[in-house]
Amino acid sequence: MSVSNIGNNEKLIGVPGSRYQLNTPALILDLDLLEQNILKMADNCHHRNINLRPVAKIHKSIEIAKLQIKAGALGVCCATLTEAEIMAKNSIPGILLFTSVVTTSKIDRLVEANKQTKNLMVAVDDFSNVEALGAAACKAGKQLDLLIDFEIGGNRTGLNDEEMVVNLAKTISRTNGLTYKGIQGYNGATQRIPKFDKRKTAQKLSTKPLSNLIKRLTKEKLKPIIVTGGGTGTVDIDSEQGIFTESQAGSYVFMDVNYKDIPLNTTDPFPFKPSLYVQTTVVSNSKKGFVITDAGIKEFAREQFAPEISYGAPMDATYELVGDDLGRINLPRGTQNLPLGSKVECIPPHCYATLNLYNVFHCVQGDKLVDIWSIDSRKNY
Amino acid sequence: MSVSNIGNNEKLIGVPGSRYQLNTPALILDLDLLEQNILKMADNCHHRNINLRPVAKIHKSIEIAKLQIKAGALGVCCATLTEAEIMAKNSIPGILLFTSVVTTSKIDRLVEANKQTKNLMVAVDDFSNVEALGAAACKAGKQLDLLIDFEIGGNRTGLNDEEMVVNLAKTISRTNGLTYKGIQGYNGATQRIPKFDKRKTAQKLSTKPLSNLIKRLTKEKLKPIIVTGGGTGTVDIDSEQGIFTESQAGSYVFMDVNYKDIPLNTTDPFPFKPSLYVQTTVVSNSKKGFVITDAGIKEFAREQFAPEISYGAPMDATYELVGDDLGRINLPRGTQNLPLGSKVECIPPHCYATLNLYNVFHCVQGDKLVDIWSIDSRKNY
């Protein structure tokens, strides 16, 4: 716990039953379930012979990054330079920044962060960017590791031309200050296809050009040491295929409504359990059939799915976001109203977008608040 | 400027042209347009003979609350206790917390905040809550002002029964520690009806029960001193009707894609201009027809509408949120790609949900960064 802006719940740490006495809205993290998820994924990857470098944008937490690394992860993937800087400053090794850094002031920040940690890598998809990174790395006096971003679906970043990737790899290899490390191929669109077989087929189709690229690079004596991509939804599929050397899986630490009912393989389809919740309080029960809570769009982030109630309301009650800071629990016909002040916990629709709205995790074991952890790298400036 | 976590742009303050040299994603606030909007609304309300107590959840900024009050606002409306506490601590008077405070620990915090400021008010819709607030106010030794929350649409908080409101008003009037101040009637659903006439009809229909309630309360010698509700979309309609003594309008300070094309009256339909922007950088242009930027779902909040590009891309280019931290600018056929590192600014779909994702406003005048303001009360704990 090293948080300057911790809120009003600190005095409840260690108090029996304190989980349900929090000032809300509050983000709850079940430490036992978190730990089970982290150990299970580490064990799974170990047995399936694929490395794990989990996406830290999912949790934005130095404490959780440390737990992942302790369990065997190579490091963490970061989505933004700010995330990477915060991880670097807190001695997290093996940081992969999976988007390009292109402006002068950010490139300066990147090579500074590189000096603070071991094995920082950044993705590139542009020749002029490689030149700028090389010059900055030389000036900073520390070699910078690069991965080439290869488009395998999603129409976002990355080159989609094999020839250009080969040329870019050659350029990196002969640029002072830079080390060519390998390839990134990520397709978010395949991760949450509900049926396992369909997801497997889609991911295989999506990674075919990547597989061809690797053969070609190998022939050109540019065999990638690292091939990274995939997520929680395809880690088992990816390990079977043998294309990726490592996975960027991340959502497995928390799970969410988006992910929790998606079978991840055929033998043990649901290995991970939701460990992240939003706790909310009933603030109005003046009418029949529903009550109003203090958690809305600002506390859950608007998504395709609704939050799923996990505690405090009858079965079949549903949760709706009805205001910036207001939720509505629609009660099944014939049930009693919930008392004013009563607590309801929900699984968020999307773990990442939700936790980004909070300052801290309220860490619980059973019904006790046991610690408060900062969400270290959540901030946009 | 009093921000502990200010980001990487402080050294650009005062530098000519610095607006377009920021580390991005960055939230931009055009101070001249902000001031024009604030003065225009104050002037409008003054001439239309309706008081203004703007919603501070829209901006979450002490600096902006001060500008509003300087221009004539009675105070600010707050959506959460945390917002109200931060405003109270910073000497903002006339705070109306428009949702109920129901748990013991929050009621304790509320009566503390009440001691720190002048004329704090809170909404109620429950008899037991009135009792608890009275006891706490007596214990704290300072009278607490209450408004009764009356449901006029939206199916959220508030009583919808005239009889119960009358009884609750009587109860408040005879409870030690409490002062009955009046009624709140807010219907968010009418605020952004696109056509002015339809909006007017809908708001009139929606406020009919409120009008009846006020007549009844007046007859019972419980005439409300304050009747509050409405927003930017209905302030002119509400002032004509003469039901509300004051408006909760808030979005007018920034405007956004949701609001900017909605005519607000028949003589000067678009009095307010967008003053809030997200600045983003092109981080990948490796493919034809689109470029990728560093601002996605985390930088804009997912909404019904897309961000609207205001600077840096060709006319007819469109902005899509394609990742947690990635946006895509779809370029019109035949246009050049945008250079890597170039800056694009967008009007956010929804000002409130977007600024909630940032720590600071980058305040600009023309193309110069002139100050950095904290977004003081954005935080969930």
Side-chain angles (χ1 to χ4, degrees):
Chain A
M1 183 175 66
S2 61
V3 192
S4 60
N5 205 347
I6 203 172
N8 299 286
N9 293 316
E10 192 176 358
K11 60 182 180 292
L12 292 169
I13 293 175
V15 176
S18 50
R19 175 174 183 164
Y20 302 108
Q21 296 164 32
L22 299 173
N23 287 266
T24 65
L27 193 69
I28 307 285
L29 178 57
D30 186 312
L31 290 190
D32 295 334
L33 294 171
L34 172 79
E35 195 183 6
Q36 281 172 35
N37 289 343
I38 288 173
L39 294 176
K40 212 155 194 174
M41 180 60 98
D43 195 49
N44 183 32
C45 287
H46 181 73
H47 281 100
R48 287 174 176 268
N49 206 22
I50 187 167
N51 290 319
L52 179 64
R53 192 182 316 256
V55 178
K57 75 164 185 173
I58 297 293
H59 54 68
K60 296 173 172 288
S61 155
I62 295 154
E63 297 282 354
I64 297 176
K66 284 181 182 164
L67 290 175
Q68 290 174 313
I69 289 166
K70 195 176 153 199
L74 296 176
V76 292
C77 295
C78 292
T80 70
L81 177 58
T82 303
E83 272 175 38
E85 285 174 321
I86 290 168
M87 292 293 157
K89 199 179 287 177
N90 286 278
S91 308
I92 303 298
I95 296 164
L96 159 52
L97 175 51
F98 58 54
T99 42
S100 298
V101 174
V102 301
T103 59
T104 312
S105 76
K106 284 199 175 176
I107 290 173
D108 289 347
R109 288 165 53 191
L110 177 73
V111 295
E112 270 313 301
N114 187 36
K115 286 201 255 180
Q116 290 177 15
T117 185
K118 273 188 211 166
N119 305 329
L120 185 144
M121 284 182 286
V122 67
V124 287
D125 67 2
D126 181 87
F127 287 83
S128 68
N129 187 215
V130 164
E131 196 183 328
L133 291 170
C138 286
K139 202 173 145 197
K142 187 176 177 187
Q143 200 76 3
L144 180 67
D145 294 350
L146 300 197
L147 290 180
I148 297 173
D149 192 7
F150 183 62
E151 159 89 57
I152 65 165
N155 272 329
R156 305 197 303 188
T157 63
L159 293 165
N160 56 3
D161 181 295
E162 197 176 279
E163 201 62 31
M164 283 180 80
V165 175
V166 171
N167 287 334
L168 193 58
K170 285 180 184 164
T171 303
I172 296 168
S173 301
R174 59 175 178 247
T175 301
N176 286 336
L178 303 179
T179 308
Y180 160 71
K181 277 288 193 179
I183 305 292
Q184 167 173 269
Y186 180 80
N187 183 2
T190 53
Q191 290 303 316
R192 290 194 301 254
I193 295 173
K195 292 208 169 153
F196 181 76
D197 284 346
K198 285 199 175 165
R199 192 174 342 122
K200 190 169 178 173
T201 307
Q203 180 72 348
K204 278 191 167 178
L205 194 69
S206 167
T207 53
K208 188 94 175 83
L210 182 61
S211 170
N212 294 339
L213 173 68
I214 291 160
K215 282 178 202 147
R216 169 80 189 276
L217 286 166
T218 307
K219 225 163 75 182
E220 304 261 6
K221 296 188 176 157
L222 292 162
K223 187 179 175 184
I225 296 168
I226 291 172
V227 181
T228 176
T232 298
T234 62
V235 61
D236 291 355
I237 295 162
D238 295 332
S239 67
E240 258 181 43
Q241 278 195 272
I243 299 169
F244 292 101
T245 62
E246 59 186 66
S247 173
Q248 301 187 354
S251 297
Y252 71 93
V253 294
F254 300 137
M255 301 307 281
D256 54 27
V257 178
N258 261 335
Y259 251 124
K260 72 184 200 33
D261 299 322
I262 293 181
L264 297 181
N265 61 56
T266 50
T267 54
D268 177 19
F270 306 105
F272 310 112
K273 306 292 174 220
S275 66
L276 188 76
Y277 306 88
V278 171
Q279 187 179 114
T280 178
T281 300
V282 174
V283 295
S284 173
N285 66 357
S286 61
K287 282 159 290 189
K288 286 212 169 112
F290 68 88
V291 297
I292 298 294
T293 68
D294 60 0
I297 296 158
K298 206 189 93 197
E299 289 73 29
F300 278 109
R302 214 192 293 258
E303 295 283 338
Q304 184 185 356
F305 301 107
E308 204 174 292
I309 300 168
S310 57
Y311 169 88
M315 284 271 291
D316 305 330
T318 58
Y319 202 99
E320 257 186 276
L321 310 180
V322 293
D324 290 323
D325 297 279
L326 294 177
R328 181 169 61 213
I329 298 177
N330 296 305
L331 299 164
R333 196 185 289 249
T335 54
Q336 287 283 5
N337 250 2
L338 299 177
L340 218 57
S342 57
K343 305 290 182 148
V344 176
E345 283 186 4
C346 296
I347 303 169
H350 182 188
C351 57
Y352 166 68
T354 294
L355 81 84
N356 183 53
L357 303 170
Y358 292 82
N359 267 357
V360 295
F361 295 105
H362 292 91
C363 302
V364 302
Q365 284 180 309
D367 69 354
K368 194 195 285 181
L369 178 71
V370 296
D371 205 350
I372 296 179
W373 289 355
S374 171
I375 300 175
D376 303 289
S377 61
R378 72 175 279 237
K379 287 161 182 97
N380 287 322
Y381 293 101
Chain B
M1 181 175 65
S2 60
V3 192
S4 60
N5 206 345
I6 203 174
N8 299 285
N9 293 317
E10 193 177 359
K11 61 181 178 294
L12 292 170
I13 293 176
V15 176
S18 50
R19 175 172 184 168
Y20 301 109
Q21 295 163 33
L22 299 172
N23 287 266
T24 65
L27 193 69
I28 307 286
L29 178 57
D30 186 313
L31 290 190
D32 295 334
L33 293 171
L34 172 79
E35 196 184 5
Q36 282 172 34
N37 289 344
I38 288 173
L39 294 177
K40 213 154 193 174
M41 181 60 100
D43 196 48
N44 184 32
C45 287
H46 181 72
H47 281 100
R48 287 174 176 269
N49 207 20
I50 187 167
N51 290 319
L52 179 63
R53 194 185 312 259
V55 178
K57 75 165 186 173
I58 295 293
H59 54 69
K60 297 174 171 285
S61 154
I62 294 154
E63 296 283 352
I64 297 176
K66 284 180 182 166
L67 290 176
Q68 291 174 315
I69 288 165
K70 196 177 151 199
L74 297 175
V76 292
C77 296
C78 291
T80 70
L81 176 58
T82 303
E83 272 175 36
E85 286 174 321
I86 289 168
M87 292 291 156
K89 199 179 288 177
N90 286 277
S91 308
I92 303 297
I95 297 164
L96 158 53
L97 176 51
F98 59 55
T99 42
S100 299
V101 174
V102 301
T103 59
T104 311
S105 76
K106 284 199 174 178
I107 289 173
D108 289 346
R109 288 166 52 192
L110 176 73
V111 295
E112 271 311 300
N114 188 35
K115 287 202 254 177
Q116 290 176 15
T117 186
K118 274 189 211 168
N119 307 327
L120 185 144
M121 287 182 283
V122 67
V124 288
D125 68 1
D126 182 88
F127 287 84
S128 68
N129 187 216
V130 165
E131 195 182 329
L133 290 171
C138 287
K139 203 173 145 199
K142 185 175 177 186
Q143 200 77 2
L144 180 66
D145 294 350
L146 299 197
L147 290 180
I148 298 174
D149 192 7
F150 183 61
E151 160 89 55
I152 65 163
N155 271 329
R156 306 196 305 188
T157 62
L159 294 166
N160 56 4
D161 182 295
E162 199 177 278
E163 201 63 32
M164 283 181 81
V165 175
V166 171
N167 287 334
L168 194 58
K170 286 180 183 162
T171 303
I172 296 168
S173 300
R174 61 174 175 249
T175 301
N176 287 336
L178 302 180
T179 308
Y180 159 70
K181 278 287 191 178
I183 304 293
Q184 167 172 271
Y186 181 79
N187 182 3
T190 53
Q191 289 301 316
R192 288 195 301 256
I193 295 173
K195 293 210 168 151
F196 181 75
D197 285 347
K198 284 199 175 167
R199 191 171 345 119
K200 190 170 177 172
T201 308
Q203 180 72 347
K204 278 189 167 179
L205 194 70
S206 168
T207 52
K208 189 92 176 83
L210 182 60
S211 171
N212 294 338
L213 173 68
I214 291 161
K215 282 178 203 147
R216 169 80 190 276
L217 285 166
T218 306
K219 223 162 79 182
E220 304 262 6
K221 297 187 177 157
L222 291 161
K223 188 180 172 183
I225 297 170
I226 291 171
V227 181
T228 176
T232 297
T234 62
V235 62
D236 291 354
I237 296 162
D238 294 334
S239 67
E240 260 182 43
Q241 278 196 274
I243 298 168
F244 292 101
T245 62
E246 59 185 68
S247 172
Q248 301 187 354
S251 297
Y252 72 93
V253 294
F254 301 137
M255 301 306 281
D256 54 27
V257 177
N258 261 335
Y259 251 122
K260 73 184 196 40
D261 299 322
I262 293 180
L264 298 181
N265 60 59
T266 50
T267 53
D268 177 20
F270 306 104
F272 309 112
K273 306 293 174 218
S275 66
L276 189 76
Y277 306 88
V278 171
Q279 187 179 116
T280 176
T281 300
V282 174
V283 296
S284 173
N285 66 357
S286 62
K287 281 159 291 188
K288 287 213 169 111
F290 68 87
V291 297
I292 297 294
T293 69
D294 60 0
I297 296 158
K298 205 189 93 198
E299 289 75 28
F300 278 107
R302 214 191 293 256
E303 295 284 336
Q304 185 184 355
F305 301 107
E308 204 173 291
I309 300 169
S310 56
Y311 169 88
M315 285 270 290
D316 305 331
T318 58
Y319 202 101
E320 259 186 276
L321 310 178
V322 294
D324 290 323
D325 297 280
L326 294 177
R328 181 169 58 211
I329 298 177
N330 295 306
L331 298 165
R333 194 185 291 247
T335 55
Q336 288 282 7
N337 249 2
L338 299 178
L340 217 58
S342 55
K343 304 292 181 142
V344 177
E345 283 185 5
C346 297
I347 304 169
H350 182 186
C351 56
Y352 167 67
T354 294
L355 82 85
N356 183 54
L357 303 171
Y358 292 83
N359 266 356
V360 295
F361 296 104
H362 292 89
C363 301
V364 302
Q365 285 180 310
D367 69 354
K368 195 195 284 181
L369 179 71
V370 296
D371 206 351
I372 296 178
W373 289 355
S374 171
I375 300 175
D376 304 289
S377 60
R378 71 176 279 237
K379 287 159 181 97
N380 285 321
Y381 293 101

